[in-house]
mmCIF file of all heavy atoms in Angstrom:
data_model
loop_
_atom_site.group_PDB
_atom_site.id
_atom_site.type_symbol
_atom_site.label_atom_id
_atom_site.label_comp_id
_atom_site.label_asym_id
_atom_site.label_seq_id
_atom_site.Cartn_x
_atom_site.Cartn_y
_atom_site.Cartn_z
ATOM 1 N N LEU K 221 2.788 15.655 -5.761
ATOM 2 C CA LEU K 221 3.183 16.897 -5.133
ATOM 3 C C LEU K 221 3.225 18.034 -6.179
ATOM 4 O O LEU K 221 2.746 19.105 -5.889
ATOM 5 C CB LEU K 221 4.598 16.756 -4.500
ATOM 6 C CG LEU K 221 5.128 17.931 -3.753
ATOM 7 C CD1 LEU K 221 4.332 18.181 -2.501
ATOM 8 C CD2 LEU K 221 6.598 17.725 -3.353
ATOM 9 N N ARG K 222 3.758 17.738 -7.351
ATOM 10 C CA ARG K 222 3.760 18.740 -8.442
ATOM 11 C C ARG K 222 2.331 19.147 -8.792
ATOM 12 O O ARG K 222 2.084 20.270 -9.195
ATOM 13 C CB ARG K 222 4.497 18.237 -9.678
ATOM 14 C CG ARG K 222 6.047 18.148 -9.480
ATOM 15 C CD ARG K 222 6.714 17.933 -10.790
ATOM 16 N NE ARG K 222 6.362 16.660 -11.392
ATOM 17 C CZ ARG K 222 7.076 15.527 -11.176
ATOM 18 N NH1 ARG K 222 8.118 15.549 -10.350
ATOM 19 N NH2 ARG K 222 6.727 14.414 -11.774
ATOM 20 N N ALA K 223 1.389 18.194 -8.726
ATOM 21 C CA ALA K 223 0.025 18.436 -9.114
ATOM 22 C C ALA K 223 -0.790 19.150 -8.007
ATOM 23 O O ALA K 223 -1.942 19.571 -8.219
ATOM 24 C CB ALA K 223 -0.711 17.172 -9.502
ATOM 25 N N GLY K 224 -0.148 19.271 -6.807
ATOM 26 C CA GLY K 224 -0.877 19.956 -5.703
ATOM 27 C C GLY K 224 -1.930 19.152 -5.077
ATOM 28 O O GLY K 224 -2.864 19.710 -4.404
ATOM 29 N N ARG K 225 -1.843 17.839 -5.146
ATOM 30 C CA ARG K 225 -2.874 16.962 -4.565
ATOM 31 C C ARG K 225 -2.709 16.842 -3.075
ATOM 32 O O ARG K 225 -1.586 16.854 -2.549
ATOM 33 C CB ARG K 225 -2.841 15.563 -5.235
ATOM 34 C CG ARG K 225 -3.157 15.594 -6.698
ATOM 35 C CD ARG K 225 -3.039 14.180 -7.311
ATOM 36 N NE ARG K 225 -3.999 13.292 -6.679
ATOM 37 C CZ ARG K 225 -4.073 11.995 -7.023
ATOM 38 N NH1 ARG K 225 -3.341 11.490 -8.030
ATOM 39 N NH2 ARG K 225 -4.945 11.189 -6.435
ATOM 40 N N PRO K 226 -3.811 16.602 -2.316
ATOM 41 C CA PRO K 226 -3.685 16.370 -0.868
ATOM 42 C C PRO K 226 -3.206 14.977 -0.504
ATOM 43 O O PRO K 226 -2.606 14.750 0.543
ATOM 44 C CB PRO K 226 -5.058 16.667 -0.310
ATOM 45 C CG PRO K 226 -5.964 16.375 -1.510
ATOM 46 C CD PRO K 226 -5.210 16.731 -2.727
ATOM 47 N N SER K 227 -3.568 13.992 -1.345
ATOM 48 C CA SER K 227 -3.155 12.625 -1.073
ATOM 49 C C SER K 227 -3.108 11.799 -2.359
ATOM 50 O O SER K 227 -3.732 12.177 -3.351
ATOM 51 C CB SER K 227 -4.118 11.948 -0.074
ATOM 52 O OG SER K 227 -5.441 11.861 -0.609
ATOM 53 N N VAL K 228 -2.382 10.665 -2.322
ATOM 54 C CA VAL K 228 -2.316 9.836 -3.500
ATOM 55 C C VAL K 228 -1.980 8.387 -3.046
ATOM 56 O O VAL K 228 -1.291 8.236 -2.075
ATOM 57 C CB VAL K 228 -1.157 10.305 -4.450
ATOM 58 C CG1 VAL K 228 0.200 10.222 -3.804
ATOM 59 C CG2 VAL K 228 -1.208 9.572 -5.784
ATOM 60 N N VAL K 229 -2.530 7.447 -3.765
ATOM 61 C CA VAL K 229 -2.268 6.015 -3.462
ATOM 62 C C VAL K 229 -1.301 5.516 -4.550
ATOM 63 O O VAL K 229 -1.501 5.764 -5.725
ATOM 64 C CB VAL K 229 -3.519 5.153 -3.482
ATOM 65 C CG1 VAL K 229 -3.234 3.662 -3.281
ATOM 66 C CG2 VAL K 229 -4.488 5.643 -2.383
ATOM 67 N N ASP K 230 -0.266 4.829 -4.177
ATOM 68 C CA ASP K 230 0.714 4.328 -5.150
ATOM 69 C C ASP K 230 0.245 3.030 -5.722
ATOM 70 O O ASP K 230 -0.037 2.050 -5.016
ATOM 71 C CB ASP K 230 2.059 4.114 -4.420
ATOM 72 C CG ASP K 230 3.083 3.450 -5.341
ATOM 73 O OD1 ASP K 230 3.366 4.021 -6.441
ATOM 74 O OD2 ASP K 230 3.589 2.352 -5.037
ATOM 75 N N GLY K 231 0.167 2.961 -7.066
ATOM 76 C CA GLY K 231 -0.214 1.733 -7.746
ATOM 77 C C GLY K 231 -1.684 1.667 -8.062
ATOM 78 O O GLY K 231 -2.507 1.875 -7.204
ATOM 79 N N ARG K 232 -1.990 1.268 -9.333
ATOM 80 C CA ARG K 232 -3.396 1.268 -9.739
ATOM 81 C C ARG K 232 -4.217 0.261 -8.949
ATOM 82 O O ARG K 232 -5.363 0.523 -8.498
ATOM 83 C CB ARG K 232 -3.457 0.963 -11.230
ATOM 84 C CG ARG K 232 -4.865 1.100 -11.808
ATOM 85 C CD ARG K 232 -4.881 0.643 -13.267
ATOM 86 N NE ARG K 232 -4.077 1.508 -14.109
ATOM 87 C CZ ARG K 232 -4.516 2.609 -14.660
ATOM 88 N NH1 ARG K 232 -5.771 3.034 -14.460
ATOM 89 N NH2 ARG K 232 -3.717 3.297 -15.427
ATOM 90 N N GLY K 233 -3.656 -0.905 -8.702
ATOM 91 C CA GLY K 233 -4.353 -1.967 -7.935
ATOM 92 C C GLY K 233 -4.597 -1.523 -6.533
ATOM 93 O O GLY K 233 -5.691 -1.668 -6.005
ATOM 94 N N ASN K 234 -3.577 -0.910 -5.882
ATOM 95 C CA ASN K 234 -3.738 -0.377 -4.541
ATOM 96 C C ASN K 234 -4.821 0.676 -4.515
ATOM 97 O O ASN K 234 -5.571 0.789 -3.544
ATOM 98 C CB ASN K 234 -2.404 0.191 -4.049
ATOM 99 C CG ASN K 234 -1.353 -0.879 -3.863
ATOM 100 O OD1 ASN K 234 -1.661 -2.031 -3.573
ATOM 101 N ND2 ASN K 234 -0.107 -0.498 -3.979
ATOM 102 N N ALA K 235 -4.845 1.551 -5.526
ATOM 103 C CA ALA K 235 -5.792 2.629 -5.537
ATOM 104 C C ALA K 235 -7.224 2.088 -5.618
ATOM 105 O O ALA K 235 -8.142 2.557 -4.946
ATOM 106 C CB ALA K 235 -5.534 3.580 -6.732
ATOM 107 N N LEU K 236 -7.446 1.050 -6.401
ATOM 108 C CA LEU K 236 -8.757 0.444 -6.554
ATOM 109 C C LEU K 236 -9.202 -0.164 -5.231
ATOM 110 O O LEU K 236 -10.340 0.002 -4.778
ATOM 111 C CB LEU K 236 -8.769 -0.577 -7.698
ATOM 112 C CG LEU K 236 -10.133 -1.207 -7.981
ATOM 113 C CD1 LEU K 236 -11.189 -0.154 -8.300
ATOM 114 C CD2 LEU K 236 -10.031 -2.213 -9.122
ATOM 115 N N VAL K 237 -8.334 -0.946 -4.608
ATOM 116 C CA VAL K 237 -8.651 -1.610 -3.372
ATOM 117 C C VAL K 237 -8.892 -0.530 -2.263
ATOM 118 O O VAL K 237 -9.852 -0.697 -1.459
ATOM 119 C CB VAL K 237 -7.529 -2.553 -2.909
ATOM 120 C CG1 VAL K 237 -7.782 -3.042 -1.507
ATOM 121 C CG2 VAL K 237 -7.482 -3.724 -3.868
ATOM 122 N N SER K 238 -8.136 0.535 -2.273
ATOM 123 C CA SER K 238 -8.340 1.591 -1.255
ATOM 124 C C SER K 238 -9.669 2.312 -1.466
ATOM 125 O O SER K 238 -10.275 2.777 -0.495
ATOM 126 C CB SER K 238 -7.179 2.591 -1.289
ATOM 127 O OG SER K 238 -5.946 1.979 -0.981
ATOM 128 N N TRP K 239 -10.076 2.408 -2.712
ATOM 129 C CA TRP K 239 -11.405 2.981 -3.011
ATOM 130 C C TRP K 239 -12.507 2.026 -2.552
ATOM 131 O O TRP K 239 -13.540 2.414 -1.971
ATOM 132 C CB TRP K 239 -11.546 3.276 -4.474
ATOM 133 C CG TRP K 239 -12.857 3.994 -4.826
ATOM 134 C CD1 TRP K 239 -13.007 5.319 -4.942
ATOM 135 C CD2 TRP K 239 -14.138 3.374 -5.076
ATOM 136 N NE1 TRP K 239 -14.330 5.642 -5.279
ATOM 137 C CE2 TRP K 239 -14.985 4.439 -5.316
ATOM 138 C CE3 TRP K 239 -14.608 2.068 -5.049
ATOM 139 C CZ2 TRP K 239 -16.368 4.221 -5.597
ATOM 140 C CZ3 TRP K 239 -15.927 1.823 -5.341
ATOM 141 C CH2 TRP K 239 -16.815 2.925 -5.617
ATOM 142 N N LEU K 240 -12.292 0.768 -2.775
ATOM 143 C CA LEU K 240 -13.315 -0.259 -2.515
ATOM 144 C C LEU K 240 -13.482 -0.574 -1.046
ATOM 145 O O LEU K 240 -14.584 -0.657 -0.535
ATOM 146 C CB LEU K 240 -12.931 -1.540 -3.282
ATOM 147 C CG LEU K 240 -13.738 -2.792 -3.044
ATOM 148 C CD1 LEU K 240 -15.136 -2.578 -3.542
ATOM 149 C CD2 LEU K 240 -13.094 -4.026 -3.648
ATOM 150 N N ALA K 241 -12.355 -0.696 -0.291
ATOM 151 C CA ALA K 241 -12.371 -1.219 1.074
ATOM 152 C C ALA K 241 -13.326 -0.424 2.003
ATOM 153 O O ALA K 241 -14.091 -0.992 2.754
ATOM 154 C CB ALA K 241 -11.009 -1.294 1.618
ATOM 155 N N PRO K 242 -13.237 0.946 2.020
ATOM 156 C CA PRO K 242 -14.133 1.659 2.949
ATOM 157 C C PRO K 242 -15.595 1.510 2.596
ATOM 158 O O PRO K 242 -16.446 1.853 3.428
ATOM 159 C CB PRO K 242 -13.652 3.114 2.801
ATOM 160 C CG PRO K 242 -12.335 3.027 2.159
ATOM 161 C CD PRO K 242 -12.355 1.827 1.306
ATOM 162 N N ARG K 243 -15.930 1.088 1.394
ATOM 163 C CA ARG K 243 -17.346 1.036 0.946
ATOM 164 C C ARG K 243 -17.928 -0.350 1.224
ATOM 165 O O ARG K 243 -19.104 -0.555 0.952
ATOM 166 C CB ARG K 243 -17.401 1.399 -0.499
ATOM 167 C CG ARG K 243 -17.090 2.864 -0.749
ATOM 168 C CD ARG K 243 -16.785 3.198 -2.189
ATOM 169 N NE ARG K 243 -16.683 4.632 -2.388
ATOM 170 C CZ ARG K 243 -15.630 5.393 -2.074
ATOM 171 N NH1 ARG K 243 -14.569 4.794 -1.548
ATOM 172 N NH2 ARG K 243 -15.590 6.666 -2.249
ATOM 173 N N LEU K 244 -17.142 -1.322 1.689
ATOM 174 C CA LEU K 244 -17.675 -2.619 2.056
ATOM 175 C C LEU K 244 -18.336 -2.489 3.377
ATOM 176 O O LEU K 244 -17.798 -2.010 4.356
ATOM 177 C CB LEU K 244 -16.584 -3.647 2.105
ATOM 178 C CG LEU K 244 -15.892 -4.065 0.804
ATOM 179 C CD1 LEU K 244 -14.744 -4.994 1.089
ATOM 180 C CD2 LEU K 244 -16.895 -4.743 -0.109
ATOM 181 N N PRO K 245 -19.651 -2.940 3.460
ATOM 182 C CA PRO K 245 -20.305 -2.950 4.787
ATOM 183 C C PRO K 245 -19.527 -3.763 5.789
ATOM 184 O O PRO K 245 -18.814 -4.690 5.450
ATOM 185 C CB PRO K 245 -21.661 -3.598 4.491
ATOM 186 C CG PRO K 245 -21.912 -3.351 3.064
ATOM 187 C CD PRO K 245 -20.498 -3.381 2.430
ATOM 188 N N GLU K 246 -19.626 -3.377 7.110
ATOM 189 C CA GLU K 246 -18.867 -4.128 8.108
ATOM 190 C C GLU K 246 -19.274 -5.541 8.237
ATOM 191 O O GLU K 246 -18.423 -6.420 8.586
ATOM 192 C CB GLU K 246 -19.035 -3.392 9.448
ATOM 193 C CG GLU K 246 -18.362 -1.998 9.465
ATOM 194 C CD GLU K 246 -18.492 -1.337 10.814
ATOM 195 O OE1 GLU K 246 -18.911 -2.053 11.780
ATOM 196 O OE2 GLU K 246 -18.122 -0.161 10.925
ATOM 197 N N ARG K 247 -20.505 -5.892 7.930
ATOM 198 C CA ARG K 247 -20.945 -7.269 8.009
ATOM 199 C C ARG K 247 -20.807 -7.878 6.640
ATOM 200 O O ARG K 247 -21.480 -7.478 5.648
ATOM 201 C CB ARG K 247 -22.392 -7.388 8.483
ATOM 202 C CG ARG K 247 -22.561 -6.940 9.955
ATOM 203 C CD ARG K 247 -24.044 -6.974 10.344
ATOM 204 N NE ARG K 247 -24.620 -8.327 10.210
ATOM 205 C CZ ARG K 247 -24.558 -9.251 11.168
ATOM 206 N NH1 ARG K 247 -24.015 -8.994 12.319
ATOM 207 N NH2 ARG K 247 -25.117 -10.392 10.937
ATOM 208 N N GLY K 248 -19.908 -8.869 6.477
ATOM 209 C CA GLY K 248 -19.594 -9.416 5.161
ATOM 210 C C GLY K 248 -20.746 -9.959 4.393
ATOM 211 O O GLY K 248 -20.756 -10.007 3.184
ATOM 212 N N ASN K 249 -21.864 -10.417 5.094
ATOM 213 C CA ASN K 249 -23.001 -11.022 4.355
ATOM 214 C C ASN K 249 -23.888 -10.006 3.679
ATOM 215 O O ASN K 249 -24.880 -10.379 3.097
ATOM 216 C CB ASN K 249 -23.812 -11.937 5.313
ATOM 217 C CG ASN K 249 -24.399 -11.143 6.482
ATOM 218 O OD1 ASN K 249 -24.212 -9.951 6.570
ATOM 219 N ND2 ASN K 249 -25.094 -11.871 7.373
ATOM 220 N N ARG K 250 -23.534 -8.716 3.765
ATOM 221 C CA ARG K 250 -24.334 -7.646 3.117
ATOM 222 C C ARG K 250 -23.669 -7.042 1.953
ATOM 223 O O ARG K 250 -24.273 -6.271 1.214
ATOM 224 C CB ARG K 250 -24.726 -6.598 4.130
ATOM 225 C CG ARG K 250 -25.473 -7.073 5.288
ATOM 226 C CD ARG K 250 -26.407 -5.993 5.825
ATOM 227 N NE ARG K 250 -25.755 -4.763 6.043
ATOM 228 C CZ ARG K 250 -25.343 -4.335 7.232
ATOM 229 N NH1 ARG K 250 -25.563 -5.070 8.293
ATOM 230 N NH2 ARG K 250 -24.787 -3.144 7.330
ATOM 231 N N TYR K 251 -22.375 -7.351 1.683
ATOM 232 C CA TYR K 251 -21.680 -6.478 0.731
ATOM 233 C C TYR K 251 -22.007 -6.838 -0.678
ATOM 234 O O TYR K 251 -21.780 -6.067 -1.615
ATOM 235 C CB TYR K 251 -20.153 -6.562 0.957
ATOM 236 C CG TYR K 251 -19.517 -7.866 0.844
ATOM 237 C CD1 TYR K 251 -19.259 -8.434 -0.375
ATOM 238 C CD2 TYR K 251 -19.132 -8.568 2.010
ATOM 239 C CE1 TYR K 251 -18.666 -9.680 -0.496
ATOM 240 C CE2 TYR K 251 -18.561 -9.819 1.875
ATOM 241 C CZ TYR K 251 -18.280 -10.340 0.678
ATOM 242 O OH TYR K 251 -17.700 -11.580 0.531
#
Side-chain angles (χ1 to χ4, degrees):
L221 184 66
R222 287 193 296 270
R225 296 178 59 179
S227 62
V228 65
V229 177
D230 175 58
R232 188 185 296 274
N234 293 332
L236 183 59
V237 170
S238 298
W239 186 95
L240 173 67
R243 292 164 172 79
L244 290 175
E246 292 184 8
R247 293 176 60 88
N249 61 1
R250 300 211 309 259
Y251 60 78

